[in-house]
Amino acid sequence: VMGRVLLDLFVGWIPVAGDIFDAAYKSNARNVNAIKSNLRDRDQSFDREMRTYQYWTALGALVALGCFISLLPFALLWFAIA
């Protein structure tokens, strides 16, 4: 992004050629497209990470619930005997 702006700045100093270059190169439009692409990639990466986090959280909750249910009869028997 910064390179495109600097290129546009330095070539834009040339009186006539700079105007032609500005009209043809369109560094601002290229920068906007680059930023949009970067944000889209970050959003997809965040979605992937969030799905992974949700998966492991759900799996951990199911394992904990299974342990609780499987140990519940033993706990009830322990309290009934004591």
Side-chain angles (χ1 to χ4, degrees), residues 4 7 11 38 40-42 44-45 52 57 66 68 81:
R4 289 186 191 109
L7 179 67
V11 176
N38 188 5
R40 193 176 321 114
D41 292 343
R42 283 186 183 182
Q44 290 172 354
S45 170
T52 302
T57 302
F68 176 75
I81 293 174

Side-chain angles (χ1 to χ4, degrees), residues 44-70:
Q44 290 172 354
S45 170
F46 177 75
D47 287 345
R48 248 183 282 120
E49 290 174 8
M50 186 55 98
R51 281 193 304 269
T52 302
Y53 174 74
Q54 290 171 344
Y55 169 76
W56 285 109
T57 302
L59 183 63
L62 287 174
V63 168
L65 182 64
C67 290
F68 176 75
I69 290 173
S70 64

Side-chain angles (χ1 to χ4, degrees), residues 4-21:
R4 289 186 191 109
V5 172
L6 290 175
L7 179 67
D8 187 30
L9 175 73
F10 289 123
V11 176
W13 279 346
I14 303 170
V16 175
D19 294 334
I20 294 170
F21 179 78

